[in-house]
Amino acid sequence: MSLQDRIKPFLKILKYSTFVGGSILLLGYHLKQTHLRINKIVNPRVLDADKKISPEYIYIDDPSYDAAMKAENEKENKNSVGLSRIWKSLKYSLAWKLLWLCRHGSKEQRNLAIEQLASFRNNKSWDCLKLAQALDKDTAVLLARTRGADLRYFLPPPIHIRRSALTSELLSFRLKDLLLAMQTVKPHGCITYFLSKYFLNIQEQPMEVDIPNKPDSISEKNLCILCLDAIHHHLSLFYSTNYEEDVSIQTLVQLGVLPCLAELLLRYHNDVDMDIAVLKVLTILSIHNNLSMDFYQNGLIRDLSRLLRSNDVRLASPSAVTLANLSGEYLYRPGLYLLYPLYRTPEPPTCDTLLVHGLRGGVFVTWRQRDRTCFKPIGLLEVSITEPECDPCKENETEAKYYDPELQQVLDDIMELEEEALLSNVEVVLHDLPIDAKREPLNKFTFTADKKINALIQEEEDRCNYTFCWPKDWLPKDCKNLRILGINYWTSLSEWLEHCPLQNADISTRASELIPILVDADVGRRNVVWLTHSMGGLIVKQLLIQASESGNLLYKQLCDYTKAIVFYSTPHRGSALATMPRAAAAILWPSQDVQQLQENSPSLLKIHQEFIKYAERYGWETISFAETLPTPVTAFKVPIHFVEPFSADLGRGIFYQLPLDHLSICKPATRQSILYTTVLDVLRRAIAADLELQNTNNYIQRFIHFLFWTARSKLKTIIEILDETQSFDNAHDFEKALLYSFTDDFFE
């Protein structure tokens, strides 16, 4: 074999290897150049969730987008046939027309469109997603406040928040950074104490440590809740209704407090304690409705609409306050809770009912129904002890029922006739019967047999359906067009307990702080009825005195529109509990709230005398209830009588003494209790007086319009007569001038 034949296979291998290697090098070179070009155009860390701070949603407000979506919808409709295609086309086109009305229509058209959108049922997921992308922030807030709106209409939190919620990052230290930032702009001793207590040696930790160690004595969830409470405490003291002046909220928003709150709601989904802590912060942030876009982009509108539907009033009420503030309809400042209506209503309210609690009370504690018991009649002893396992309705679940509905109806009718015959001659005694009464009205209510049956049935229903806020759940059933607001304020019994030095306020200071809060919420533009317990009655008395003596017309309207005040065990002349010996006072160290309730205190007597004077001037209706049983205090059940009957008697208006203690005097057992029926009668009279005034004003307006119409008709007739007379005189003068022109007298 020649040398050429031997080398030929190697040359062939070299040729192919050179071709393949060159191709690979050329392809690699082009790939590298392409990679460099793309890096110059596109951010390679676009999916880095930790460093991403802006949401990735694209919110489109362009007419061409609507046209494109309409064209796509028509294309989809052509693919379906029959009645389903027609129905889908009509429903989808109606939804887009309603969205257009929500953006560009009048107030009445917008309200009607929102109601129609919320009434849509059996929506497909993709239809809801399209509507969610097309909703603007204002429409989303209004839709979230509408009963029955589909939660799929609202966008969830952005993807970087959802991904961050799946990580193990300690959110408590992000909240700590927010507290430190607020401390730099508004220093406060409570925040310094909180940080030193729960975040030890923060400044001493090395800078290279990314995530410091969490305190082992407390869980991450509880530490986050404590941080949120500290943020809420700081904001409630230093907030401002003007966003440009509110440096604390501006700092929090710039540092990303809203994404942090949205992440907390995702991590601790359906956790009541976390939801309450987050909502307390959101209610203060929502007083600046210019932040509604930030709420919307972080998916918080969906969470607020979800929590608004909760059966827990502690979740539903703050959610309603936040959404109402974001919509701009009302301004509910911290300390004011909307209890009813939680959703938007077509008709404006005609009467405001305000709830003011006493010492150590609260909106969600003071106004609950009487705690039920199965072992003794309600309203006799130990009415303040709750038995959660007790269910008095279980005994009625074993009643015999017949399968034949006609036979069952006949038996029910026979039983009803027998009960009516029995009750016609029997006096029915319901709960909370007063043992003494003063200045009671002469008119007595008589119950017929059918009313007695309804009262007993209603009483049994109320015993079975326990409520944690009886004004919210009972009053709207019996009285229409109400707005019920709860007022919360901080109180303390002893100086030994931890408290903020900036929250020590006397009755006069609390009253002066509440007046602008109520005015901003439009209280004083319609009839007002006050429900007060214990020291809350003293605050309301001082509030009305200051409002009547103020030169501000909006403040005076609080007195003009106040119709009635109901006092539940209010110590008008002080309490013997506050007047304690020096030795006991040195040990217990009573707070300023307790000290100002001393018996026959000059300040209380002055408030009492001035209030009586203004009550007579404005004609306020006053109703007082007094306790006659001692209240068991502490675990040893020490009986203490907080307010004596002589101090609870205002000396004016109706006065009742009931066999109840201090805690139960404002908690009716059922809707048949005199504690409830008295309030209901007051509200009905206030609404009836308002309707009568409106009818009277309508008659007066009609009479004035008739007078104007008559005067205008007469004036028009007189003007026509004058015009005719003037035209006749002009014609006569013209005729006379012509006559003179053609006679010799013209030249004289």
Side-chain angles (χ1 to χ4, degrees), residues 106-209:
S106 61
K107 182 177 180 180
E108 292 77 11
Q109 293 174 341
R110 184 169 63 252
N111 292 335
L112 182 60
I114 290 291
E115 293 291 338
Q116 292 297 322
L117 276 176
S119 64
F120 281 177
R121 295 292 181 270
N122 302 323
N123 299 315
K124 302 295 183 181
S125 297
W126 50 83
D127 293 333
C128 295
L129 290 176
K130 289 180 181 179
L131 290 175
Q133 288 287 350
L135 282 179
D136 60 301
K137 61 179 180 63
D138 297 327
T139 305
V141 171
L142 293 176
L143 192 60
R145 292 188 61 211
T146 306
R147 186 185 298 273
D150 197 327
L151 286 178
R152 294 175 296 175
Y153 288 157
F154 311 105
L155 292 175
I159 190 171
H160 69 278
I161 295 180
R162 283 177 279 165
R163 287 184 174 179
S164 180
L166 299 176
T167 63
S168 59
E169 180 187 2
L170 297 180
L171 287 177
S172 57
F173 285 89
R174 288 171 57 183
L175 296 174
K176 179 261 299 181
D177 294 336
L178 297 178
L179 286 170
L180 290 174
M182 286 195 307
Q183 189 72 348
T184 57
V185 296
K186 288 286 185 179
H188 184 35
C190 291
I191 303 301
T192 304
Y193 172 75
F194 173 80
L195 293 174
S196 63
K197 181 178 181 181
Y198 293 102
F199 297 92
L200 301 176
N201 302 323
I202 296 178
Q203 284 77 14
E204 298 179 3
Q205 293 178 355
M207 297 301 295
E208 61 270 11
V209 178

Side-chain angles (χ1 to χ4, degrees), residues 466-599:
Y466 187 82
T467 174
F468 287 91
C469 185
W470 62 264
K472 166 187 173 293
D473 294 329
W474 289 354
L475 289 176
K477 295 179 180 178
D478 301 321
C479 203
K480 303 299 181 182
N481 296 334
L482 290 179
R483 185 176 65 157
I484 304 175
L485 300 175
I487 299 174
N488 247 0
Y489 59 93
W490 183 88
T491 59
S492 177
L493 292 178
S494 175
E495 293 293 340
W496 292 111
L497 303 176
E498 294 181 358
H499 63 276
C500 176
L502 299 181
Q503 287 181 326
N504 267 341
D506 55 6
I507 294 175
S508 178
T509 304
R510 283 196 177 99
S512 60
E513 292 175 351
L514 279 177
I515 293 177
I517 294 177
L518 297 176
V519 170
D520 288 344
D522 290 345
V523 178
R525 298 189 179 183
R526 57 187 70 88
N527 292 337
V528 181
V529 174
W530 305 81
L531 306 183
T532 66
H533 177 240
S534 189
M535 194 179 75
L538 302 177
I539 295 176
V540 171
K541 289 166 63 177
Q542 181 64 30
L543 184 150
L544 293 174
I545 292 172
Q546 294 181 5
S548 60
E549 296 175 351
S550 173
N552 193 327
L553 296 179
L554 295 177
Y555 292 1
K556 284 184 175 295
Q557 286 183 353
L558 288 173
C559 301
D560 296 332
Y561 283 93
T562 292
K563 297 302 178 183
I565 307 101
V566 181
F567 299 101
Y568 294 103
S569 284
T570 297
H572 300 289
R573 297 171 180 83
S575 173
L577 181 65
T579 308
M580 58 184 67
R582 289 187 176 182
I587 297 175
L588 297 178
W589 198 4
S591 64
Q592 184 181 358
D593 294 325
V594 177
Q595 293 176 10
Q596 60 188 344
L597 298 180
Q598 292 183 2
E599 197 169 9

Side-chain angles (χ1 to χ4, degrees), residues 666-715:
C666 59
K667 299 177 178 61
T670 65
R671 279 181 285 175
Q672 300 305 318
S673 170
I674 194 173
L675 299 172
Y676 174 77
T677 56
T678 305
V679 174
L680 184 60
D681 293 338
V682 168
L683 288 173
R684 285 175 174 173
R685 286 196 297 270
I687 294 177
D690 184 69
L691 294 176
E692 183 178 355
L693 180 61
Q694 291 181 0
N695 294 332
T696 304
N697 293 336
N698 291 334
Y699 291 142
I700 294 175
Q701 291 177 359
R702 291 178 183 178
F703 181 71
I704 293 174
H705 287 319
F706 175 75
L707 291 179
F708 275 111
W709 178 80
T710 305
R712 185 175 61 183
S713 301
K714 294 295 183 182
L715 184 62

